[in-house]
Amino acid sequence: MSSKHFINDPTHLVSQALHALTLTNPNVALDAAHKIIYRRPSPSSSDQQQQVSIISGGGSGHEPSFAGMVGPGMLSAAVAGTIFASPSAEQVRRAITSRVDRGRGVLVVVMNYTGDVLNFGMAVEKARAAGGVPVEMVVVGDDVGVGRAKAGKVGRRGIAGTVLVLKVAGALAALGRPLDEVAAVARLAADNTVSVGASLEHVHVPGRGVDADDKLRDSDDVEIGMGIHNEPGSGRAKKDLPALVATMLAQLLDQGDADRAFVNVTSNEVVLLVNNLGGVSVLELGGITAEVVAQLADKYGIRPVRILSGTFMTSLNGLGFSVSLLNVVNTGVGVNMVDLLDAPSEVAGWAAPVRKETWEARNTATRDADDGAGQEVQPSGLKTDAAAATTVLTRALESVIAAEPEVTRYDTVVGDGDCGIGLKRGAQAILKHIKDKPLTGDAVVDVASIVPVVENTMDGTSGALYAIFLNALVHALRTASAGDASPQVWAAALKQSCDALSRYTPARPGDRTLVDALYPFVEVLGQTGDVREAASAARKAADETKGMQASLGRTVYVGGSGYEEVPDPGAWGLSCFFQGLAGQ
Ligand SMILES: *[C@@H]1O[C@H](CO)[C@@H](O)[C@H](O)[C@H]1NC(C)=O
Ligand SMILES: *[C@@H]1O[C@H](CO)[C@@H](O)[C@H](O)[C@H]1NC(C)=O
């Protein structure tokens, strides 16, 4: 639980966040005194006159719920309390009486929390008492996290599934349907939605103290069924993701669970919502979604017609997620619930970018994976002695492998320690490759066959540099004239490859990179045609990287003083390869 925040004054935080919505969405305005975000009346048309207004809200800290869902196709207004506390009845009354159109009636949707139900309920009663405005209220309690026995009189709470109810109701209202229909379909959606959450930690409320006695914080447990205000769930356990998801799905779906079985999810059409409670990385939420979808199919035969994954209802920066299922049933008013979910809306808080047509097309086409990579390389007529080349290359690769501990040690001083292992992995893979698929004696064919091995086994910056270099080498050798591949031919091709490499990296000799060993080798080979002399030049240059300051690559950030004592690991590793080539 991180208790560090950019804004620590909770009052300021809530009002600034509401204000921000008016900056990012010109559709909405803010009644700052009553913390109401509402749809601006349309200056020209009477569109909004023709629809039922929908109001929701609750404590702050659940963004983008609810103020982020105000706009065409969803809410007419949202009323915000302070963090995790219901707005007052007076705030809600203001919203009903002065911030929305009332001609077609008003639907108020709240989650099943005592404060919200009382305050929104009181405002609804007042508005009704004032007369003239038909007002309906729907209470959502989708959470199955706490079973009947334990929940007792508290009942089921509302969590992320509420957003599905708001979307369905908002879309139906936008179609101009009457209040009784909108309220009935909202209730139907609420009655057919089940959700459950799980969190690794409690959240910290800005401006409040830290609970020094938080057992969850200090354990590896996950709290299953935790509410969106840190409320306890059904229990804590140490579970990996598959086991956690299995438990959550059982709580949602197991009809044999007498304590739950709130909704019998039997529809052909089920909508899945995987919701980020605010602090899960987008990457991790993707992994969670994949697990949920796989288990739904494997264990329950449920293949959702829509899968929504994103941040819909948070608990501040909660390190958790919730899973909601909507069992799609006949609305009885001639409109499908899924169509209502698909209907366009202009609000930032409803993130469903994929259109109905795209879902329904169920396109399963893929591109043919064969991009020609496996194709035979045409012989070039540039000859080498296959047996000799194999011996020399093997010796060079073994020299790289033998140098691994040394290179690793250098890289531990000046880098992140993985250079030696990376080179060794590449060298081992090439060795295996030339054993399985012996060199042919055609320079182009042989270098080309090694390129994919390097590409697939060496990663990071140096892997990319080697891959570019070798690809360029294949190209350069191919343009050489047929005949024996003399040291001069190799040197000319290597020189071209250096030029190609220099187009993709600013590294030049003196920058403390593998280039420090590469350039002298190529240069001396071109001048003398002697591999031994070239290898010695590379070794000398690699040694001279000691004391050079890095100007590129990760070494720059890692910094430290070690660069004075050790050579650049990449340059050193490459010089070992050249030494091996030369038999030194
Ligand atoms: C809301 O909670 C109350 C108890 O406070 C419970 O009786 C009721 O069934 C719950 N409503 C919903 C819709 O879950
Ligand atoms: C759920 O629905 C299925 C199929 O309609 C039915 O066989 C099953 O008995 C139902 N379960 C419960 C607990 O109602």
Side-chain angles (χ1 to χ4, degrees):
M1 166 176 65
S2 171
S3 55
K4 282 171 79 177
H5 304 283
F6 292 103
I7 302 178
N8 288 291
D9 172 353
T11 308
H12 182 61
L13 172 56
V14 170
S15 62
Q16 284 294 83
L18 292 174
H19 172 58
L21 287 169
T22 67
L23 304 178
T24 55
N25 186 351
N27 281 315
V28 304
L30 171 65
D31 170 350
H34 300 102
K35 296 205 277 282
I36 302 167
I37 287 281
Y38 61 95
R39 261 183 88 177
R40 290 183 193 280
S42 163
S44 52
S45 78
S46 53
D47 302 349
Q48 293 177 53
Q49 293 290 353
Q50 293 166 3
Q51 78 155 78
V52 168
S53 289
I54 303 185
I55 296 177
S56 188
S60 292
H62 306 306
E63 294 67 24
S65 293
F66 295 92
M69 289 159 184
V70 176
M74 227 164 151
L75 298 181
S76 313
V79 195
T82 57
I83 294 176
F84 291 175
S86 170
S88 68
E90 176 57 13
Q91 284 175 266
V92 182
R93 192 190 65 78
R94 291 272 181 157
I96 298 174
T97 58
S98 57
R99 296 301 179 194
V100 298
D101 289 316
R102 298 182 299 159
R104 301 284 309 272
V106 179
L107 173 66
V108 174
V109 183
V110 287
M111 301 197 290
N112 202 17
Y113 295 96
T114 312
D116 290 322
V117 171
L118 286 178
N119 286 300
F120 281 82
M122 193 192 312
V124 165
E125 290 308 321
K126 279 191 170 179
R128 282 179 183 151
V133 191
V135 187
E136 287 284 334
M137 179 155 147
V138 170
V139 179
V140 186
D142 55 318
D143 192 357
V144 305
V146 178
R148 289 186 181 85
K150 197 164 160 190
K153 277 214 166 124
V154 180
R156 289 165 67 199
R157 312 172 287 217
I159 54 172
T162 308
V163 174
L164 299 173
V165 176
L166 296 177
K167 180 64 180 70
V168 164
L172 195 61
L175 290 177
R177 295 306 184 94
L179 178 61
D180 57 345
E181 281 189 11
V182 176
V185 173
R187 262 183 212 114
L188 200 59
D191 289 345
N192 280 282
T193 302
V194 277
S195 303
V196 67
S199 285
L200 292 171
E201 296 198 0
H202 291 118
V203 298
H204 180 257
V205 178
R208 290 207 199 142
V210 174
D211 177 6
D213 197 29
D214 185 347
K215 300 237 166 26
L216 188 57
R217 180 185 52 208
D218 302 324
S219 80
D220 290 336
D221 288 357
V222 54
E223 172 111 18
I224 300 160
M226 190 195 287
I228 54 175
H229 312 93
N230 285 335
E231 301 97 325
S234 57
R236 286 179 194 174
K238 188 168 164 5
K239 279 185 195 280
D240 61 8
L241 181 69
L244 173 64
V245 168
T247 304
M248 292 168 78
L249 291 186
Q251 291 192 352
L252 292 171
L253 293 166
D254 182 4
Q255 294 306 309
D257 180 352
D259 201 27
R260 291 196 173 79
F262 291 106
V263 175
N264 195 355
V265 180
T266 53
S267 169
N268 294 328
E269 294 186 304
V270 173
V271 174
L272 167 66
L273 169 67
V274 181
N275 173 61
N276 190 346
L277 288 172
V280 175
S281 71
V282 175
L283 179 66
E284 248 184 305
L285 194 71
I288 291 164
T289 301
E291 182 65 32
V292 172
V293 171
Q295 289 198 24
L296 274 177
D298 295 349
K299 299 188 182 163
Y300 299 95
I302 293 176
R303 289 177 179 74
V305 291
R306 299 292 182 273
I307 299 168
L308 302 164
S309 173
T311 307
F312 293 83
M313 183 179 290
T314 56
S315 174
L316 294 169
N317 61 345
L319 192 53
F321 64 95
S322 60
V323 177
S324 301
L325 294 170
L326 168 63
N327 185 53
V328 175
V329 292
N330 187 353
T331 60
V333 301
V335 187
N336 185 286
M337 273 189 198
V338 180
D339 289 347
L340 294 170
L341 291 174
D342 286 337
S345 63
E346 210 179 333
V347 302
W350 174 257
V354 178
R355 288 177 311 134
K356 173 185 182 63
E357 293 73 22
T358 311
W359 281 109
E360 292 186 347
R362 293 205 173 81
N363 185 355
T364 54
T366 55
R367 290 201 188 272
D368 193 345
D370 183 6
D371 58 359
Q375 259 170 335
E376 288 288 306
V377 175
Q378 291 306 311
S380 64
L382 194 58
K383 296 275 165 251
T384 60
D385 174 344
T390 306
T391 309
V392 169
L393 182 58
T394 303
R395 203 168 58 203
L397 294 168
E398 280 169 350
S399 155
V400 171
I401 293 167
E404 183 272 316
E406 197 177 22
V407 175
T408 297
R409 189 168 63 77
Y410 298 158
D411 197 36
T412 313
V413 177
V414 294
D416 45 16
D418 58 359
C419 178
I421 298 290
L423 285 173
K424 182 177 172 182
R425 189 170 55 233
Q428 284 172 331
I430 299 169
L431 272 182
K432 177 172 184 307
H433 174 76
I434 60 176
K435 208 162 157 236
D436 296 347
K437 204 161 175 283
L439 297 180
T440 64
D442 183 292
V444 170
V445 171
D446 290 342
V447 178
S449 84
I450 288 168
V451 171
V453 181
V454 170
E455 286 174 351
N456 293 334
T457 56
M458 295 180 67
D459 47 18
T461 306
S462 64
L465 292 178
Y466 279 117
I468 290 176
F469 186 84
L470 290 174
N471 275 297
L473 185 58
V474 173
H475 175 65
L477 290 170
R478 199 190 294 286
T479 55
S481 39
D484 284 340
S486 66
Q488 277 74 18
V489 169
W490 280 104
L494 289 167
K495 175 73 178 58
Q496 274 189 50
S497 310
C498 288
D499 292 345
L501 190 61
S502 72
R503 287 199 289 276
Y504 297 99
T505 168
R508 300 291 179 273
D511 287 330
R512 199 184 164 96
T513 68
L514 64 88
V515 160
D516 278 299
L518 178 62
Y519 277 44
F521 178 86
V522 173
E523 199 181 314
V524 173
L525 187 66
Q527 285 161 4
T528 65
D530 187 320
V531 179
R532 285 165 170 268
E533 281 188 42
S536 299
R539 169 50 55 95
K540 182 161 168 288
D543 198 45
E544 283 168 4
T545 59
K546 268 184 209 164
M548 273 183 198
Q549 235 164 352
S551 48
L552 299 163
R554 191 165 326 202
T555 317
V556 178
Y557 318 119
V558 178
S561 58
Y563 66 87
E564 284 155 15
E565 284 94 52
V566 300
D568 177 65
W572 190 260
L574 182 56
S575 78
C576 294
F577 178 82
F578 293 143
Q579 292 275 304
L581 274 187
Q584 280 166 347

